[in-house]
Amino acid sequence: MKKELFTNESLDTGLMIKLRKNTLLDDGSLVANVSNKTATVKSTLSAIKNDGTVTDISLMLHHLQVYQDKLLQLLGQGFTVKLLDIGLLKIKHKGRIKNASNAASDISQFTLGFTPSEDALNSVKNLSVDAILKPEKAPVIEEVADVYRNEKDGFVTSGEPVTVSGMRLKLGEENDKLCFVPQTESGQNVDDESRWIEVEHSKIFRNKPSELTFFAPTNLMEGVKYRVRVETSYLSKGRSRKETLSGESEVVMLKSQ
Protein backbone atom coordinates (compact mmCIF):
# COMPACT_ATOMS: atom_id res chain seq x y z
CA MET A 1 0.00 0.00 0.00
CA LYS A 2 1.36 3.40 -0.99
CA LYS A 3 2.28 5.60 1.94
CA GLU A 4 1.09 9.18 1.66
CA LEU A 5 3.57 11.97 2.30
CA PHE A 6 0.98 14.34 3.73
CA THR A 7 0.95 14.77 7.53
CA ASN A 8 -0.38 17.40 9.93
CA GLU A 9 2.79 17.93 11.94
CA SER A 10 4.34 21.34 12.45
CA LEU A 11 8.06 22.07 12.25
CA ASP A 12 9.55 22.56 15.71
CA THR A 13 13.15 23.29 16.55
CA GLY A 14 15.27 21.93 19.33
CA LEU A 15 18.18 19.56 19.78
CA MET A 16 18.50 17.62 23.01
CA ILE A 17 21.21 15.23 24.16
CA LYS A 18 20.33 12.37 26.51
CA LEU A 19 23.27 10.95 28.40
CA ARG A 20 23.48 7.32 29.50
CA LYS A 21 26.23 5.21 31.00
CA ASN A 22 28.67 3.60 28.59
CA THR A 23 28.10 -0.10 29.30
CA LEU A 24 31.06 -1.13 27.12
CA LEU A 25 33.60 0.57 29.37
CA ASP A 26 33.77 0.68 33.15
CA ASP A 27 35.44 4.08 33.29
CA GLY A 28 32.47 6.27 34.18
CA SER A 29 32.14 7.60 30.64
CA LEU A 30 28.80 8.42 29.07
CA VAL A 31 27.21 7.88 25.68
CA ALA A 32 25.20 10.73 24.13
CA ASN A 33 21.97 9.91 22.31
CA VAL A 34 20.61 12.69 20.11
CA SER A 35 16.93 13.39 20.68
CA ASN A 36 15.56 15.90 18.22
CA LYS A 37 12.38 16.76 16.36
CA THR A 38 11.46 15.20 13.01
CA ALA A 39 11.05 17.43 9.97
CA THR A 40 8.28 15.76 7.97
CA VAL A 41 7.54 16.54 4.34
CA LYS A 42 4.46 18.54 5.30
CA SER A 43 6.21 20.58 7.98
CA THR A 44 9.14 21.24 5.64
CA LEU A 45 6.79 22.42 2.88
CA SER A 46 5.01 24.67 5.36
CA ALA A 47 8.35 26.21 6.28
CA ILE A 48 9.13 26.73 2.57
CA LYS A 49 5.76 28.41 2.09
CA ASN A 50 6.43 30.69 5.08
CA ASP A 51 9.74 31.67 3.47
CA GLY A 52 7.77 32.83 0.42
CA THR A 53 9.85 30.82 -2.06
CA VAL A 54 6.99 28.55 -3.21
CA THR A 55 3.31 29.43 -3.35
CA ASP A 56 1.67 26.27 -4.74
CA ILE A 57 2.50 23.77 -1.99
CA SER A 58 -0.11 21.24 -3.12
CA LEU A 59 1.52 20.95 -6.57
CA MET A 60 4.95 20.56 -5.02
CA LEU A 61 3.58 17.88 -2.69
CA HIS A 62 2.15 16.00 -5.67
CA HIS A 63 5.53 16.06 -7.44
CA LEU A 64 7.27 14.84 -4.30
CA GLN A 65 4.78 11.96 -4.04
CA VAL A 66 5.60 10.94 -7.62
CA TYR A 67 9.32 11.25 -6.84
CA GLN A 68 8.99 9.08 -3.71
CA ASP A 69 7.05 6.38 -5.57
CA LYS A 70 9.71 6.22 -8.28
CA LEU A 71 12.56 6.03 -5.75
CA LEU A 72 10.90 3.12 -3.97
CA GLN A 73 10.37 1.39 -7.31
CA LEU A 74 14.06 1.79 -8.20
CA LEU A 75 15.16 0.47 -4.81
CA GLY A 76 12.92 -2.53 -5.41
CA GLN A 77 14.79 -3.11 -8.68
CA GLY A 78 18.17 -3.16 -6.93
CA PHE A 79 19.39 0.37 -7.69
CA THR A 80 21.44 2.56 -5.37
CA VAL A 81 19.45 5.77 -5.05
CA LYS A 82 20.93 9.23 -4.73
CA LEU A 83 18.75 11.53 -2.64
CA LEU A 84 19.44 14.85 -4.35
CA ASP A 85 22.82 15.96 -2.94
CA ILE A 86 22.08 14.69 0.55
CA GLY A 87 23.43 11.16 0.28
CA LEU A 88 23.02 7.66 -1.07
CA LEU A 89 20.59 4.88 -0.17
CA LYS A 90 22.49 1.63 -0.71
CA ILE A 91 21.14 -1.91 -0.63
CA LYS A 92 23.00 -4.15 1.79
CA HIS A 93 22.76 -7.83 2.59
CA LYS A 94 21.49 -8.56 6.08
CA GLY A 95 23.07 -11.51 7.84
CA ARG A 96 25.65 -14.11 6.81
CA ILE A 97 25.91 -16.46 3.86
CA LYS A 98 27.03 -19.77 5.34
CA ASN A 99 27.82 -21.65 2.14
CA ALA A 100 29.54 -20.17 -0.91
CA SER A 101 27.83 -22.71 -3.16
CA ASN A 102 24.36 -21.38 -2.35
CA ALA A 103 22.20 -20.61 -5.35
CA ALA A 104 21.37 -16.96 -6.04
CA SER A 105 17.73 -17.69 -5.22
CA ASP A 106 18.76 -18.70 -1.67
CA ILE A 107 20.26 -15.30 -0.88
CA SER A 108 17.70 -12.97 0.66
CA GLN A 109 17.28 -10.68 3.68
CA PHE A 110 18.29 -7.30 2.35
CA THR A 111 18.29 -3.96 4.14
CA LEU A 112 19.23 -0.35 3.41
CA GLY A 113 22.22 1.73 4.43
CA PHE A 114 22.61 5.47 4.10
CA THR A 115 25.84 7.27 3.20
CA PRO A 116 25.57 11.02 3.80
CA SER A 117 27.16 13.44 1.38
CA GLU A 118 29.79 15.99 2.39
CA ASP A 119 27.17 18.73 2.16
CA ALA A 120 24.90 16.82 4.54
CA LEU A 121 27.73 16.27 7.02
CA ASN A 122 28.71 19.94 6.87
CA SER A 123 25.13 20.98 7.62
CA VAL A 124 25.30 19.52 11.15
CA LYS A 125 28.83 20.54 12.09
CA ASN A 126 27.86 23.76 13.84
CA LEU A 127 24.76 22.56 15.71
CA SER A 128 24.23 23.85 19.22
CA VAL A 129 22.55 21.76 21.93
CA ASP A 130 19.39 23.19 23.50
CA ALA A 131 19.25 20.84 26.49
CA ILE A 132 21.11 17.96 28.13
CA LEU A 133 19.03 15.18 29.68
CA LYS A 134 21.08 13.36 32.29
CA PRO A 135 20.45 9.67 32.92
CA GLU A 136 17.94 8.74 35.58
CA LYS A 137 19.49 6.65 38.35
CA ALA A 138 17.44 7.15 41.51
CA PRO A 139 14.62 4.78 42.49
CA VAL A 140 11.12 5.91 41.54
CA ILE A 141 8.09 4.75 43.54
CA GLU A 142 4.98 5.11 41.42
CA GLU A 143 2.45 3.22 43.52
CA VAL A 144 1.89 1.60 46.91
CA ALA A 145 -0.76 -1.13 46.99
CA ASP A 146 -2.27 -2.96 49.95
CA VAL A 147 -2.30 -6.55 48.66
CA TYR A 148 -4.32 -7.77 51.64
CA ARG A 149 -7.23 -5.44 50.85
CA ASN A 150 -6.52 -5.20 47.12
CA GLU A 151 -6.59 -1.41 47.43
CA LYS A 152 -4.36 1.47 46.30
CA ASP A 153 -5.96 4.13 48.48
CA GLY A 154 -2.93 5.30 50.44
CA PHE A 155 -3.46 2.88 53.35
CA VAL A 156 -1.60 -0.29 54.35
CA THR A 157 -2.56 -3.05 56.77
CA SER A 158 -0.30 -3.93 59.69
CA GLY A 159 1.59 -7.17 59.14
CA GLU A 160 -0.02 -7.81 55.74
CA PRO A 161 1.51 -7.85 52.22
CA VAL A 162 2.22 -4.53 50.51
CA THR A 163 3.52 -4.03 46.96
CA VAL A 164 5.60 -1.02 45.97
CA SER A 165 5.94 -0.63 42.20
CA GLY A 166 8.06 1.69 40.10
CA MET A 167 11.58 1.72 38.66
CA ARG A 168 15.07 0.89 39.94
CA LEU A 169 13.71 -0.42 43.26
CA LYS A 170 15.71 -3.63 43.70
CA LEU A 171 17.68 -3.92 46.92
CA GLY A 172 21.13 -5.46 46.85
CA GLU A 173 23.50 -5.03 49.75
CA GLU A 174 22.46 -5.62 53.37
CA ASN A 175 22.85 -1.88 53.93
CA ASP A 176 20.14 -1.16 51.35
CA LYS A 177 16.92 -0.18 53.07
CA LEU A 178 13.16 -0.22 52.68
CA CYS A 179 11.51 1.81 55.39
CA PHE A 180 8.49 3.84 56.47
CA VAL A 181 9.47 7.43 57.25
CA PRO A 182 7.10 9.40 59.53
CA GLN A 183 6.22 12.91 58.40
CA THR A 184 6.15 16.18 60.29
CA GLU A 185 3.10 18.43 60.27
CA SER A 186 4.68 20.39 57.42
CA GLY A 187 5.06 17.20 55.33
CA GLN A 188 8.81 16.75 55.81
CA ASN A 189 10.68 13.60 56.83
CA VAL A 190 11.29 13.36 60.57
CA ASP A 191 14.99 14.12 61.11
CA ASP A 192 15.43 11.52 63.85
CA GLU A 193 16.16 8.38 61.81
CA SER A 194 15.69 6.21 64.89
CA ARG A 195 11.96 6.82 64.37
CA TRP A 196 12.11 5.50 60.82
CA ILE A 197 10.60 2.01 60.67
CA GLU A 198 12.72 -0.34 58.58
CA VAL A 199 11.33 -3.42 56.84
CA GLU A 200 13.52 -6.42 57.60
CA HIS A 201 15.04 -8.02 54.49
CA SER A 202 13.55 -11.34 55.58
CA LYS A 203 10.08 -9.76 55.29
CA ILE A 204 10.64 -8.88 51.62
CA PHE A 205 9.55 -11.81 49.47
CA ARG A 206 9.63 -10.17 46.04
CA ASN A 207 12.66 -8.03 45.21
CA LYS A 208 12.67 -6.80 41.62
CA PRO A 209 13.68 -3.55 39.90
CA SER A 210 10.02 -2.76 39.19
CA GLU A 211 8.44 -4.24 42.32
CA LEU A 212 9.03 -4.84 46.00
CA THR A 213 6.48 -6.96 47.89
CA PHE A 214 6.81 -7.30 51.64
CA PHE A 215 4.94 -7.60 54.92
CA ALA A 216 4.10 -4.20 56.40
CA PRO A 217 5.76 -3.58 59.81
CA THR A 218 3.54 -4.29 62.80
CA ASN A 219 4.72 -1.18 64.70
CA LEU A 220 3.23 1.42 62.35
CA MET A 221 1.08 3.87 64.29
CA GLU A 222 -2.47 4.89 63.44
CA GLY A 223 -2.94 8.52 62.46
CA VAL A 224 0.72 8.98 61.48
CA LYS A 225 1.57 9.84 57.88
CA TYR A 226 4.48 7.92 56.37
CA ARG A 227 6.39 7.84 53.12
CA VAL A 228 7.77 4.54 51.90
CA ARG A 229 11.47 5.09 51.22
CA VAL A 230 13.86 2.91 49.19
CA GLU A 231 17.61 3.31 49.65
CA THR A 232 19.59 1.12 47.27
CA SER A 233 23.04 0.77 45.76
CA TYR A 234 22.02 -2.10 43.46
CA LEU A 235 23.32 -1.71 39.90
CA SER A 236 23.13 -5.16 38.33
CA LYS A 237 23.67 -8.77 39.31
CA GLY A 238 26.83 -8.93 41.39
CA ARG A 239 27.47 -5.19 41.03
CA SER A 240 26.73 -2.24 43.33
CA ARG A 241 27.04 1.51 43.01
CA LYS A 242 29.55 3.39 45.10
CA GLU A 243 26.77 5.71 46.24
CA THR A 244 23.35 4.87 47.71
CA LEU A 245 20.36 6.36 45.90
CA SER A 246 16.92 6.91 47.37
CA GLY A 247 13.34 7.41 46.29
CA GLU A 248 10.10 8.01 48.21
CA SER A 249 6.40 7.39 47.74
CA GLU A 250 3.41 9.61 48.29
CA VAL A 251 2.06 9.68 51.84
CA VAL A 252 0.56 6.44 53.19
CA MET A 253 -1.10 5.63 56.53
CA LEU A 254 -1.99 2.61 58.60
CA LYS A 255 -5.49 1.31 57.94
CA SER A 256 -7.66 1.34 61.06
CA GLN A 257 -8.84 -2.09 62.14
Side-chain angles (χ1 to χ4, degrees):
M1 183 175 66
K2 181 171 69 175
K3 184 176 181 180
E4 298 295 331
L5 287 170
F6 189 86
T7 72
N8 292 316
E9 297 178 12
S10 60
L11 184 61
D12 296 320
T13 60
L15 178 67
M16 295 182 292
I17 298 295
K18 186 171 185 178
L19 300 178
R20 60 179 177 82
K21 183 177 180 180
N22 185 355
T23 57
L24 299 178
L25 298 174
D26 192 19
D27 60 357
S29 62
L30 300 173
V31 175
N33 288 341
V34 178
S35 175
N36 56 327
K37 304 292 185 179
T38 299
T40 64
V41 171
K42 176 60 177 178
S43 60
T44 303
L45 291 180
S46 297
I48 292 173
K49 183 178 180 180
N50 292 336
D51 292 340
T53 53
V54 175
T55 56
D56 194 345
I57 294 298
S58 60
L59 179 61
M60 189 173 182
L61 182 63
H62 171 72
H63 289 161
L64 283 174
Q65 186 74 60
V66 174
Y67 179 64
Q68 171 185 275
D69 294 344
K70 180 54 67 175
L71 289 186
L72 293 175
Q73 180 184 358
L74 292 171
L75 284 171
Q77 295 172 356
F79 283 90
T80 291
V81 169
K82 184 176 183 180
L83 298 175
L84 304 177
D85 287 325
I86 297 173
L88 298 175
L89 280 175
K90 293 184 177 181
I91 299 170
K92 295 183 177 181
H93 184 260
K94 184 179 180 181
R96 295 182 299 172
I97 301 174
K98 296 181 179 179
N99 193 330
S101 63
N102 281 351
S105 59
D106 295 333
I107 300 176
S108 58
Q109 296 184 346
F110 293 96
T111 186
L112 284 175
F114 178 72
T115 303
S117 67
E118 186 175 350
D119 287 341
L121 292 173
N122 287 334
S123 69
V124 300
K125 279 186 177 179
N126 298 318
L127 277 174
S128 59
V129 177
D130 294 279
I132 296 178
L133 305 176
K134 294 186 178 180
E136 293 289 340
K137 298 190 296 183
V140 175
I141 297 178
E142 297 174 342
E143 188 175 78
V144 179
D146 187 324
V147 179
Y148 175 72
R149 295 183 301 111
N150 193 27
E151 292 287 350
K152 305 171 185 177
D153 55 3
F155 289 90
V156 298
T157 304
S158 177
E160 299 295 343
V162 175
T163 292
V164 170
S165 56
M167 297 180 290
R168 301 179 287 276
L169 302 177
K170 187 176 177 67
L171 304 179
E173 302 292 333
E174 284 297 320
N175 291 332
D176 291 353
K177 294 180 181 179
L178 172 65
C179 52
F180 284 73
V181 181
Q183 302 296 289
T184 64
E185 291 185 0
S186 60
Q188 303 299 315
N189 291 349
V190 169
D191 290 333
D192 183 1
E193 294 191 17
S194 66
R195 294 175 56 192
W196 295 13
I197 302 175
E198 187 173 349
V199 178
E200 298 177 15
H201 280 229
S202 61
K203 299 292 185 180
I204 303 171
F205 55 90
R206 184 170 295 131
N207 183 12
K208 297 181 178 181
S210 62
E211 180 184 310
L212 298 175
T213 301
F214 54 93
F215 292 106
T218 56
N219 55 341
L220 297 176
M221 298 178 62
E222 288 189 15
V224 177
K225 294 180 179 179
Y226 297 92
R227 293 186 189 274
V228 180
R229 180 182 175 91
V230 172
E231 297 182 0
T232 179
S233 58
Y234 179 83
L235 183 60
S236 61
K237 187 175 182 179
R239 298 178 62 197
S240 299
R241 300 182 187 277
K242 294 180 180 179
E243 75 276 29
T244 298
L245 304 176
S246 64
E248 296 181 355
S249 72
E250 296 294 323
V251 169
V252 298
M253 298 179 68
L254 181 67
K255 183 69 175 179
S256 300
Q257 297 297 323

